[in-house]
Amino acid sequence: MKFKKNNSRRGFISSTLMLFGNRNLELMPPIHNSSLKKKSALFYKPNHITEDLKFASVVQMAQMIRDKEVSSVDLVTTMYERISEVNPQINAVVLSCKERALIEAKKADDMLAKGEIMGALHGIPMTIKDSLETEGVLSTGGTLGRKDYIPSKDATIVARLRANGAILIGKTNTPEFTLSGTTANLIYGITSNPYKEGYSPGGSSGGAGAIVASGGSPFDIGSDFGGSIRGPAHFNGIAGIKPTSGLVPRTGHIVDYGGLFDAYQVLGPIARYVEDLKLILPIIMGPDQVDAAIHPVPWTDPDSIQIENLKYCWFIDHGSSKSCSTETVEAISGAVASLVSAGIQPTEDAPIKDFQEAEEVRQQLFKADGRAWVGRLAEKNGTKQTHPLLNLPDPSTEILSSEFTELVERLDGCRSKLLQWIQKYDIIICPVHFDGAAPNPTVFEKSSGAVDDYGYMGIFNLTGWPAAVVRAGTSKKGLPIGVQIVGQPFQDHKVLAVAQYLEKKLGGWQIPPI
């Protein structure tokens, strides 16, 4: 669907922003209920204007709905038409709830006709990763034990999005329990990259990344236990952020909160444009009084940040035995050059020995209990047959309790040393991955787990720092390459400010050939 621009109505956003006074004020997340009024949510002016509705930003879609340039019913219908076009090739959307979505879209249009609005996402369609519970809609988590599981309520962040007016149109594919970088499971099969047939979209939010990049959904919610938001953003050429650990509640996710790896698991938005991450993150953050690790952190508008006043470092070599492709090096160099063009002088710096120790501890802890934690996850969900990619319990890797407590102490020591190091910088620029996407496997093999060939993402799950991704280049095979922007804890707004600048300078998302 295409539409005509109506520049005379663009002033709506500017006038709405006047409700907030000084844009530099810190804003708490919106109240999460179904009676939200306009002044309860932050409305941004769209930076990206397109005539092709399926490729519009969430911000542009939301303004068009409020301005009555397009109806929610038309927007939802457009998304379903695009899904029908692309999904047979990529297998990203594994479940549709079209009838309910169209009913909710009609309700949104009727409310708007009466001058009522639910929130910043009023009438906006969304897909949701199948690892998150959705009320009345099948939620499998990619595991056979839940192939018939229909939750009675939404995950906390899904409820918050819907309370702000978003409409669920479908669920996106995930590997079993989200525990793989390849998006495949025994229920729905394997997902492919929209930029090259038969190539990986990454994981575990591969279905989310593939359909958002394809224009079948304006945004999705991913989970990130070791790169599962940032990897798909990188491989599919879109934008995503792993927020600071402790910012967004995990209640209702198949691997939720608690336990040794509690700080690793983070939920966050995936979209084509950074402006949409800015809109969505403050809606989903904040305590829900169930997930005990979530803090009431005030939100600061990323537009209030002067990026030239921040301190930067960058690196490519971080001590891994694996090397980046020429195209990845060029992409990171281009990102650094873009900062230099703004008068910024980034420092090349990486605490290699600290990274190496932290990665060694992280890998050892994953198997320290013989991966009994994976066994408990399968048992909890009634799963008896698992996908070959899932690393199952192996008692041979169990260690003594004294050795285990020593590893936990070392883990906290690593976090402390890295936290002290980052005090010199506001922002880190580094790769997301060594290259663009590789072909999907024809034979499923578990990762080797070698300590010395670690990547660029898991370390920031260990630290809990916020990390965003935007497209920065193209691989030799024509697939997207991203750049990772990392910040100090609870400085997500600074990360998004820099991500938006780099997106503008480097080009950001591009329409896939699918």
Side-chain angles (χ1 to χ4, degrees):
M1 172 181 285
K2 294 190 176 183
F3 56 86
K4 296 180 180 179
K5 295 182 181 178
N6 187 349
N7 293 323
S8 65
R9 310 188 78 167
R10 304 288 180 209
F12 174 86
I13 297 299
S14 298
S15 62
T16 305
L17 286 172
M18 292 177 66
L19 292 169
F20 293 91
N22 189 340
R23 291 294 300 280
N24 294 326
L25 290 176
E26 291 187 337
L27 302 173
M28 289 298 292
I31 300 169
H32 305 296
N33 62 55
S34 59
S35 60
L36 281 170
K37 301 301 179 184
K38 291 180 183 179
K39 64 182 180 181
S40 300
L42 182 60
F43 297 100
Y44 285 104
K45 182 177 180 179
N47 295 318
H48 301 272
I49 304 294
T50 176
E51 293 189 4
D52 196 334
L53 187 57
K54 62 181 175 288
F55 296 136
S57 69
V58 175
V59 174
Q60 183 185 353
M61 289 179 180
Q63 177 178 318
M64 292 182 66
I65 286 176
R66 292 191 298 268
D67 286 351
K68 300 179 182 176
E69 294 179 0
V70 67
S71 71
S72 179
V73 169
D74 286 344
L75 188 54
V76 167
T77 300
T78 297
M79 293 299 102
Y80 278 121
E81 289 173 351
R82 181 60 173 169
I83 290 170
S84 296
E85 290 174 357
V86 301
N87 207 52
Q89 300 171 65
I90 59 177
N91 189 37
V93 178
V94 293
L95 191 76
S96 171
C97 40
K98 186 173 183 178
E99 183 177 353
R100 189 181 82 171
L102 288 171
I103 290 171
E104 291 184 2
K106 178 65 165 57
K107 179 182 176 182
D109 292 334
D110 291 344
M111 287 181 64
L112 197 62
K114 299 175 185 176
E116 300 173 351
I117 187 169
M118 294 182 71
L121 301 174
H122 187 90
I124 300 295
M126 65 175 178
T127 48
I128 291 291
K129 185 177 180 179
D130 194 35
S131 55
L132 282 156
E133 295 189 354
T134 46
E135 179 185 2
V137 179
L138 193 65
S139 303
T140 73
T143 190
L144 286 173
R146 296 202 344 172
K147 64 181 177 63
D148 300 316
Y149 174 58
I150 300 176
S152 59
K153 64 179 182 178
D154 288 320
T156 294
I157 59 173
V158 175
R160 289 177 176 178
L161 292 166
R162 294 183 68 196
N164 272 267
I167 297 170
L168 178 65
I169 60 173
K171 304 293 290 289
T172 50
N173 207 18
T174 174
E176 189 162 18
F177 300 123
T178 74
L179 298 178
S180 175
T182 298
T183 299
N185 60 62
L186 295 177
I187 301 174
Y188 298 121
I190 195 164
T191 300
S192 292
N193 193 301
Y195 289 88
K196 195 171 182 68
E197 187 175 359
Y199 276 64
S200 173
S204 61
S205 307
I211 198 61
V212 168
S214 300
S217 174
F219 79 95
D220 204 307
I221 296 294
S223 61
D224 196 313
F225 191 66
S228 292
I229 291 172
R230 292 160 292 157
H234 164 84
F235 291 124
N236 295 283
I238 55 177
I241 183 168
K242 177 192 81 67
T244 301
S245 296
L247 201 61
V248 179
R250 287 81 47 94
T251 310
H253 188 261
I254 195 165
V255 183
D256 49 13
Y257 48 79
L260 177 63
F261 306 120
D262 182 70
Y264 293 10
Q265 182 68 291
V266 184
L267 305 181
I270 292 174
R272 286 184 291 276
Y273 309 102
V274 175
E275 65 185 54
D276 298 335
L277 308 183
K278 288 166 34 184
L279 178 68
I280 295 164
L281 183 52
I283 291 173
I284 62 175
M285 63 184 268
D288 68 348
Q289 313 310 326
V290 178
D291 185 339
I294 306 305
H295 308 290
V297 180
W299 177 247
T300 301
D301 183 2
D303 286 356
S304 69
I305 300 301
Q306 301 295 317
I307 67 163
E308 63 271 17
N309 295 333
L310 304 179
K311 296 172 291 184
Y312 297 77
C313 80
W314 68 279
F315 61 80
I316 294 174
D317 180 10
H318 67 321
S320 175
S321 62
K322 297 178 72 173
S323 299
C324 286
S325 68
T326 300
E327 293 75 22
T328 299
V329 173
E330 290 173 350
I332 304 307
S333 299
V336 173
S338 295
L339 295 172
V340 172
S341 72
I344 297 163
Q345 295 299 321
T347 301
E348 186 175 3
D349 187 16
I352 289 177
K353 289 185 178 179
D354 292 339
F355 280 162
Q356 289 173 331
E357 181 186 7
E359 285 290 352
E360 177 188 356
V361 170
R362 191 174 75 93
Q363 294 294 336
Q364 289 182 8
L365 279 171
F366 274 137
K367 59 184 180 181
D369 69 346
R371 292 184 68 83
W373 61 278
V374 177
R376 290 193 297 272
L377 192 59
E379 183 178 359
K380 174 184 175 181
N381 289 280
T383 298
K384 295 179 172 57
Q385 180 186 1
T386 59
H387 194 278
L389 285 170
L390 187 67
N391 281 306
L392 295 171
D394 179 4
S396 69
T397 67
E398 289 182 23
I399 62 176
L400 297 173
S401 58
S402 58
E403 296 171 324
F404 181 81
T405 54
E406 180 185 5
L407 276 178
V408 174
E409 291 165 2
R410 287 182 63 196
L411 173 67
D412 287 337
C414 291
R415 285 172 169 156
S416 178
K417 284 187 280 189
L418 289 168
L419 185 61
Q420 292 174 62
W421 170 74
I422 201 179
Q423 295 310 302
K424 296 182 290 183
Y425 309 109
D426 296 294
I427 296 292
I428 303 166
I429 302 295
C430 66
V432 187
H433 192 67
F434 300 101
D435 201 354
N440 268 325
T442 54
V443 177
F444 294 111
E445 297 178 346
K446 300 177 179 67
S447 60
S448 64
V451 172
D452 63 349
D453 67 352
Y454 55 86
Y456 291 91
M457 294 182 283
I459 187 68
F460 300 120
N461 293 85
L462 180 147
T463 63
W465 303 343
V469 172
V470 295
R471 183 168 182 168
T474 304
S475 75
K476 187 176 295 184
K477 295 182 178 180
L479 291 128
I481 290 175
V483 58
Q484 188 169 202
I485 304 104
V486 184
Q488 293 188 14
F490 299 108
Q491 301 300 301
D492 303 59
H493 56 292
K494 294 178 181 177
V495 169
L496 288 174
V498 176
Q500 184 163 264
Y501 170 79
L502 290 176
E503 175 186 58
K504 181 178 180 180
K505 296 292 287 187
L506 301 172
W509 168 81
Q510 300 173 21
I511 298 174
I514 188 169

